[in-house]
Amino acid sequence: MFHSSNSSKVYLTIWAFLSVVAALSGPFGTYQRFDPLMRFVFWMLLIGIAVGLVWLARIVVSKLFADIRYRDHAAFASVMAGLLFLPFSIVLPPIFYAGSEARFLVPELVLITVFGSLVGHWIAHALLSTAKVEESQVEVPRIMSRLPADKRGDLIRMTVRDHYVDVYTTAGMHSLLMRFRDATQEADTVDGFCVHRSHWVTRAAITGVLRRNGRVFLSLTDGTEVPVSRKYRPNVEEAGLL
């Protein structure tokens, strides 16, 4: 998930950046031929299609050649994207260009798509690799080592139930036989705090503050509402939620 969502952001950023650059610089005579708005529409459309085809080619190559090296993957995907873009480079320019001038853009646009795809793959790979390194450097709370592998995710909250502590993560819930105080200490690398003698929540999981019959509750990302006791209300106030 991490890779997919961040990869999409990278491609959208590349599309927006290249569209603005092309609209401002006006390559292939588009600066003289089109007004600023038409120039932006022209390049946003062409570059958007090209970037979309690069993204599609990347997925296809990943499924067909899962074990190849990244540089080979980038080369295959770029050539495929260029071939996929060929019909668009033939059909679209004549809509904006009059006469036979548009056909001379075909080889340039295809080559730019292939070259741009190679550069885009390199940029995306570099950015995603950096993001993964930064993510791996985030210290995992010790309590995660007590959870089954399929329940380990981003910590949301912990609740006392008899002699057990119910630990809720984005991957689900698991009950641990331990003291609540020990559980909160093992989550000390996460930005969270007690809001009740039986409830501990992460700050990132809080979506809102509710008041009902004179009592305060915190709504969380998992859809639950956790009560805030008077004793622990200062923790919520210090967090800027009240």
Side-chain angles (χ1 to χ4, degrees):
M1 183 177 292
F2 167 82
H3 185 275
S4 177
S5 61
N6 282 274
S7 178
S8 298
K9 292 178 182 177
V10 170
Y11 279 92
L12 287 173
T13 302
I14 291 174
W15 174 34
F17 175 75
L18 292 180
S19 296
V20 171
V21 170
L24 293 176
S25 60
F28 303 113
T30 55
Y31 191 89
Q32 294 79 16
R33 178 175 293 275
F34 303 140
D35 60 65
L37 178 59
M38 183 59 70
R39 196 162 61 239
F40 180 74
V41 171
F42 176 78
W43 286 114
M44 185 180 68
L45 179 62
L46 277 181
I47 294 173
I49 292 173
V51 171
L53 292 176
V54 169
W55 178 76
L56 176 63
R58 175 176 168 273
I59 293 176
V60 172
V61 172
S62 295
K63 291 185 178 297
L64 294 179
F65 310 101
D67 298 325
I68 63 174
R69 293 175 297 179
Y70 186 80
R71 65 181 184 183
D72 296 330
H73 176 283
F76 283 134
S78 298
V79 172
M80 181 181 293
L83 293 175
L84 291 173
F85 187 68
L86 180 59
F88 294 95
S89 66
I90 295 174
V91 173
L92 289 178
I95 298 176
F96 295 86
Y97 280 79
S100 61
E101 185 179 356
R103 73 172 182 270
F104 295 106
L105 286 175
V106 174
E108 286 90 344
L109 291 175
V110 172
L111 288 175
I112 288 174
T113 300
V114 174
F115 178 74
S117 174
L118 288 171
V119 174
H121 272 83
W122 177 79
I123 294 175
H125 183 63
L127 291 176
L128 291 172
S129 297
T130 301
K132 286 182 178 180
V133 170
E134 292 176 351
E135 185 180 69
S136 66
Q137 291 174 343
V138 176
E139 188 175 355
V140 177
R142 288 171 292 158
I143 198 168
M144 283 297 161
S145 63
R146 296 178 179 270
L147 304 182
D150 63 337
K151 298 299 182 183
R152 296 176 186 176
D154 294 333
L155 194 56
I156 297 175
R157 63 187 176 98
M158 294 187 291
T159 301
V160 175
R161 180 175 54 82
D162 297 327
H163 299 292
Y164 289 86
V165 175
D166 294 337
V167 181
Y168 293 82
T169 72
T170 51
M173 187 277 285
H174 185 74
S175 298
L176 298 174
L177 181 60
M178 64 186 304
R179 295 190 304 174
F180 188 52
R181 179 179 179 181
D182 294 337
T184 58
Q185 288 178 346
E186 292 192 7
D188 56 0
T189 59
V190 180
D191 185 8
F193 44 84
C194 285
V195 297
H196 189 277
R197 67 180 182 179
S198 302
H199 298 283
W200 179 97
V201 302
T202 62
R203 185 167 183 165
I206 300 172
T207 59
V209 179
L210 304 174
R211 290 178 173 81
R212 188 181 302 121
N213 298 326
R215 301 183 62 190
V216 177
F217 297 83
L218 297 179
S219 59
L220 306 180
T221 54
D222 63 351
T224 58
E225 296 178 4
V226 177
V228 178
S229 68
R230 183 173 300 178
K231 177 181 178 180
Y232 293 97
R233 184 179 176 120
N235 291 342
V236 181
E237 293 174 345
E238 289 177 10
L241 298 170
L242 289 176

